[in-house]
Amino acid sequence: MQTPEERQRALAGTAIWIAVLFNLTCNGGGYVYQRRWKAYWLGALIAFLAALGSGSVAGAIAWARTPSVSFEDRATNFAWAALGTGSVGWLAVGFGSAIEAGITVQRLRRRLARQPEKVAVSESIPPSS
């Protein structure tokens, strides 16, 4: 198991462009690449709720506005509206996670660059004779 410092160094060593690309193409893929599991599961939950919430609201509006009395027509309009706006919510979460993944690595690299290298205790103390 890695120490928190080792995890930070590993995260700082990841390529920002790969994390951003993975998050844009498959939501959360950048978090898996960076081994940020908490961010991955939180992002997956937010993406699910964004797609479900926006799709349900748009579908309900389409259902209420449908002048047809046919149940099949109303259900079709609901499904198309939910699919369209649910996809928009999904894309918004993808863009947000891509930006966040890039900013996190950039901030961590800056913070690690400002920290002086730690010297091991055995190297700093001369052996006693």
Side-chain angles (χ1 to χ4, degrees):
M1 188 155 161
Q2 292 180 329
T3 65
E5 185 177 317
E6 290 172 338
R7 273 187 258 136
Q8 286 181 350
R9 292 206 181 276
L11 176 59
T14 59
I16 294 174
W17 70 271
I18 293 176
V20 169
L21 181 68
F22 283 172
N23 272 330
L24 287 175
T25 55
C26 54
N27 282 344
Y31 292 140
V32 173
Y33 166 68
Q34 293 175 329
R35 295 182 187 105
R36 294 176 57 204
W37 303 111
K38 290 178 188 175
Y40 172 75
W41 287 111
L42 182 63
L45 178 66
I46 290 171
F48 174 75
L49 293 176
L52 181 68
S54 63
S56 297
V57 169
I61 292 170
W63 182 280
R65 289 187 177 175
T66 305
S68 174
V69 291
S70 168
F71 177 79
E72 290 82 15
D73 289 343
R74 292 179 93 178
T76 302
N77 289 341
F78 177 91
W80 279 111
L83 180 66
T85 55
S87 299
V88 170
W90 192 263
L91 287 173
V93 170
F95 281 115
S97 65
I99 292 168
E100 189 274 336
I103 289 172
T104 299
V105 171
Q106 198 172 33
R107 284 183 183 165
L108 185 60
R109 284 179 183 171
R110 283 189 200 139
R111 186 169 10 128
L112 290 175
R114 285 189 302 242
Q115 290 179 352
E117 283 292 319
K118 293 184 179 179
V119 178
V121 174
S122 61
E123 295 174 10
S124 62
I125 301 174
S128 60
S129 31

